[in-house]
Amino acid sequence: IAHYGDDFPLMQVIPLYVRSEVTDGPLEAVDGVTPPFFLTIGGLEVRKNHLRIIDAFQQSGLSSRGYSYVFCGPRGNSAEAVNEKARTT
């Protein structure tokens, strides 16, 4: 919100426990991430079904409307497959 604002009609904040070291560091935007974007936060794990999410994003037409898709989270057991699909989609 500090970098991109809160003017998103479907934005929902779901409060979760956040480690203090995550919020104590410097606040800076991520290079290459510009609005508008669709954001998913969570580990790149098979159980999260990110491959299906990438398919749904592609079919949604959001990309043609200027949206990008950003995944944020630790690498998990499907990180390689997710990265490959994202590169080739």
Side-chain angles (χ1 to χ4, degrees):
I1 291 173
H3 283 287
Y4 301 109
D6 62 358
D7 187 26
F8 300 97
L10 300 176
M11 183 172 140
Q12 295 181 9
V13 175
I14 302 169
L16 296 173
Y17 168 78
V18 177
R19 296 181 314 269
S20 63
E21 64 268 16
V22 172
T23 60
D24 291 343
L27 180 63
E28 56 192 51
V30 176
D31 289 337
V33 177
T34 57
F37 56 87
F38 188 72
L39 174 66
T40 295
I41 301 173
L44 299 179
E45 300 174 3
V46 172
R47 67 187 179 90
K48 300 285 187 170
N49 211 359
H50 292 296
L51 299 179
R52 177 77 89 160
I53 292 170
I54 292 171
D55 287 338
F57 178 74
Q58 185 178 21
Q59 293 174 20
S60 74
L62 288 172
S63 180
S64 64
R65 292 175 35 204
Y67 286 79
S68 58
Y69 200 127
V70 177
F71 287 102
C72 176
R75 287 173 169 62
N77 58 10
S78 72
E80 191 173 312
V82 170
N83 286 331
E84 179 63 26
K85 185 165 186 104
R87 275 193 292 275
T88 60
T89 301

